[in-house]
Amino acid sequence: MNSVTSLNDTELTTHDLRELTNQMVDRMLKLIESCSDAEVTQEPEDPEANDPTAATEAELNMPWTLGHVIVHTTASAEEAAALAAELGRGVEHHGRSRSEVPWRTVTAIQQCRERLEESRRMRLASLDMWPDQPYLDNTYTPREGVPPINCVRRFLNGLKHDESHLGQIERLTSKGK
């Protein structure tokens, strides 16, 4: 799989986004294939841990476990997919659409695998919501200085976010040790 970052979103189709989604989830599953339950909840040493969106102040500088990374990446990609489907259907951007499994409830490697497969199913299903001719000119600007985002770019941003966590997932597994 090529880096998602290098892809030209103006040339991507829903078929391409399906393939990229399957490749990404397969890649994540491969990274965790030999993990044990203990690796899911093992808290790594990470002196640079900083989560400005942490739920509590105590979690602000808490290193992320493998389970935490898996639920975070899947929630982000699912949000991107849901918003992309709306943009593709011509719906004006209205804000976030995020739901994240409570990471502390993910304590077994099978839960990580199931979460990844569930996320794959949800992301692929969102592409079924796109019209045959998506509204590619329906865009929004997430913040000043960022180019406008359409449905393809929004979906792709979820995959880019996944990709940005691959090294972290590898470091948290026996493969990365």
Side-chain angles (χ1 to χ4, degrees):
M1 175 177 174
N2 292 333
S3 171
V4 180
T5 308
S6 66
L7 296 174
N8 182 349
D9 60 73
T10 60
E11 299 172 3
L12 295 175
T13 65
T14 54
H15 175 78
D16 297 324
L17 295 175
R18 282 179 196 290
E19 286 195 17
L20 290 167
T21 297
N22 283 320
Q23 289 172 9
M24 182 60 70
V25 173
D26 289 345
R27 196 164 166 195
M28 291 175 155
L29 287 166
K30 182 87 172 143
L31 285 172
I32 67 169
E33 74 181 344
S34 61
C35 286
S36 66
D37 288 345
E39 288 173 281
V40 174
T41 57
Q42 182 177 350
E43 194 172 296
E45 287 193 32
D46 186 357
E48 296 179 23
N50 180 13
D51 181 5
T53 62
T56 67
E57 192 169 326
E59 294 178 2
L60 183 64
N61 299 109
M62 179 185 289
W64 286 14
T65 64
L66 179 59
H68 191 162
V69 175
I70 295 297
V71 299
H72 169 76
T73 58
T74 55
S76 296
E78 291 157 17
E79 176 181 28
L83 293 173
E86 288 188 348
L87 289 169
R89 292 176 32 245
V91 176
E92 188 176 314
H93 178 71
H94 54 80
R96 302 211 51 193
S97 180
R98 186 175 184 84
S99 176
E100 186 170 314
V101 172
W103 65 271
R104 291 185 189 276
T105 66
V106 179
T107 59
I109 194 60
Q110 187 58 31
Q111 288 176 287
C112 291
R113 292 182 184 114
E114 290 169 0
R115 177 82 275 275
L116 285 163
E117 290 295 354
E118 179 180 51
S119 183
R120 179 199 314 258
R121 178 183 54 78
M122 292 166 67
R123 295 185 224 184
L124 295 176
S126 77
L127 291 167
D128 287 336
M129 294 177 61
W130 289 36
D132 292 339
Q133 299 298 315
Y135 290 84
L136 298 175
D137 57 346
N138 184 23
T139 64
Y140 74 99
T141 304
R143 61 188 172 280
E144 193 173 324
V146 175
I149 293 176
N150 70 3
C151 54
V152 175
R153 172 59 53 189
R154 189 66 185 105
F155 194 98
L156 198 56
N157 282 349
L159 291 168
K160 285 182 180 184
H161 182 264
D162 279 345
E163 187 173 67
S164 75
H165 284 284
L166 291 175
Q168 185 180 21
I169 293 169
E170 186 171 11
R171 285 189 302 277
L172 293 167
T173 67
S174 53
K175 290 182 180 187
K177 295 178 179 145

